[in-house]
Amino acid sequence: MRALVFQSDFGKADGAVCAMYGVAQGVEPSLSLFDLTHDIEPYNIWEASYRLIQTVEYWPAGTVFVSVVDPGVGSERRSIAVLTRGGHYIITPDNGTVTHIKRLCGISEAREIDETENRLPYSGDAYTFHGRDIYAYTGARLASSIIDFEGIGPQIPTDSLETLPVVDPVVEDGVIHGTIDVLDIRFGSIWTNIPHSLFKTLGIDYGQRVQVTIRNDTRGLYRNVMTFGRSFADVSVGEPLAYINSLDFVAVAINQGSFARAYNIGTGTSWHISVGPSPF
């Protein structure tokens, strides 16, 4: 029996998440159900993609993830299941949710969900809650081995999967230019797409100073020099620092404060960050 992990933008203020639990328990009462998060910003497919890469590889191979951030529900977009190279399953709309998984983990196989077989019985007239009627139902059937991966539906090419635009970090004149992928929501740190391996090419050691510049597509928002530290304890309370986050990417924070809130920072490919040696 595999674990079944749910992610959505539903929140828990109403019964939507509980309904998905109920469907899964109706398929197999002994299933172990877990939550990744249900606090994805509504309709934010990019964040859904990132939260999967933040989590999936730390679960045992065979774990089934159901991710439902689905602004196109009821449209012609496909419902899919993918098998990662690490052996994890993800059930989701084909709308870009697997972007980071495909880039950083790799996808070995993909299938389109056959909704004539993998749909909650007597739900055929409902078009707005595929999280309950298709994804939770299919995920529970897969996790409980009622169906195998081939039973999901026909195989589809992995290169046909929808992905979101991604900007790769680049080095120019000793400065790395990247984007802000996501926020550490509770604490307000900003997580970039600059890998530690690329940052190392600058030759900056812990305790040295770096210059950080942040802008969006319309204006500059931040420019400052700060410490590159191992942890938040390397600076005083209220001071900014650059550090390497839990996914081995460059991040920026305020010790015991919210960097994102202090400077109104957002995420996505329109939010740009540059990191380089301190000019003084």
Side-chain angles (χ1 to χ4, degrees):
M1 197 76 66
R2 304 181 179 105
L4 182 60
V5 182
F6 288 100
Q7 168 176 277
S8 76
D9 58 353
F10 297 161
K12 287 192 172 181
D14 63 15
V17 172
C18 192
M20 292 198 297
Y21 296 161
V23 167
Q25 290 285 286
V27 170
E28 175 48 65
S30 64
L31 271 176
S32 295
L33 308 181
F34 301 90
D35 291 321
L36 194 163
T37 181
H38 295 289
D39 290 325
I40 300 291
E41 180 185 30
Y43 319 119
N44 192 332
I45 298 167
W46 177 272
E47 185 179 353
S49 173
Y50 201 94
R51 297 304 174 198
L52 286 174
I53 195 63
Q54 185 181 359
T55 309
V56 164
E57 290 193 306
Y58 297 97
W59 283 76
T63 300
V64 179
F65 291 82
V66 170
S67 180
V68 191
V69 176
D70 194 13
V73 63
S75 68
E76 294 300 313
R77 62 96 185 92
R78 297 182 296 188
S79 296
I80 60 169
V82 303
L83 174 62
T84 74
R85 289 179 182 166
H88 304 91
Y89 300 94
I90 301 170
I91 312 291
T92 190
D94 184 23
N95 59 10
T97 296
V98 298
T99 296
H100 288 90
I101 290 292
K102 185 176 181 180
R103 283 174 57 85
L104 301 177
C105 294
I107 293 173
S108 61
E109 188 177 344
R111 292 185 175 269
E112 182 173 4
I113 297 175
D114 180 352
E115 297 180 14
T116 63
E117 296 291 332
N118 294 299
R119 186 182 180 111
L120 182 68
Y122 311 112
S123 67
D125 291 333
Y127 296 97
T128 60
F129 199 174
H130 287 177
R132 174 195 65 195
D133 299 335
I134 297 172
Y135 304 131
Y137 183 70
T138 303
R141 282 161 58 85
L142 179 62
S144 59
S145 298
I146 292 174
I147 57 173
D148 57 16
F149 192 59
E150 289 71 23
I152 295 284
Q155 187 170 359
I156 55 177
T158 58
D159 60 8
S160 76
L161 299 174
E162 292 290 332
T163 54
L164 303 172
V166 175
V167 177
D168 291 320
V170 296
V171 181
E172 295 178 351
D173 299 324
V175 176
I176 303 177
H177 304 281
T179 56
I180 300 172
D181 271 357
V182 77
L183 303 180
D184 182 349
I185 293 175
R186 185 168 179 83
F187 299 103
S189 305
I190 62 172
W191 288 14
T192 78
N193 70 335
I194 301 171
H196 190 191
S197 58
L198 184 61
F199 180 80
K200 286 179 178 178
T201 65
L202 299 182
I204 297 172
D205 293 327
Y206 291 112
Q208 293 184 325
R209 308 276 280 175
V210 295
Q211 180 167 278
V212 173
T213 303
I214 298 172
R215 60 182 176 85
N216 58 25
D217 282 345
T218 60
R219 61 192 179 96
L221 292 161
Y222 182 85
R223 185 182 181 91
N224 198 11
V225 172
M226 64 185 68
T227 298
F228 172 55
R230 293 182 183 273
S231 71
F232 305 106
D234 287 346
V235 299
S236 300
V237 172
E239 288 189 359
L241 80 156
Y243 68 102
I244 304 302
N245 68 16
S246 59
L247 296 181
D248 211 30
F249 286 81
V250 173
V252 178
I254 293 175
N255 186 15
Q256 298 186 34
S258 171
F259 191 97
R261 190 179 304 115
Y263 299 102
N264 296 312
I265 304 299
T267 63
T269 55
S270 64
W271 286 84
H272 310 279
I273 184 167
S274 300
V275 182
S278 169
F280 51 84

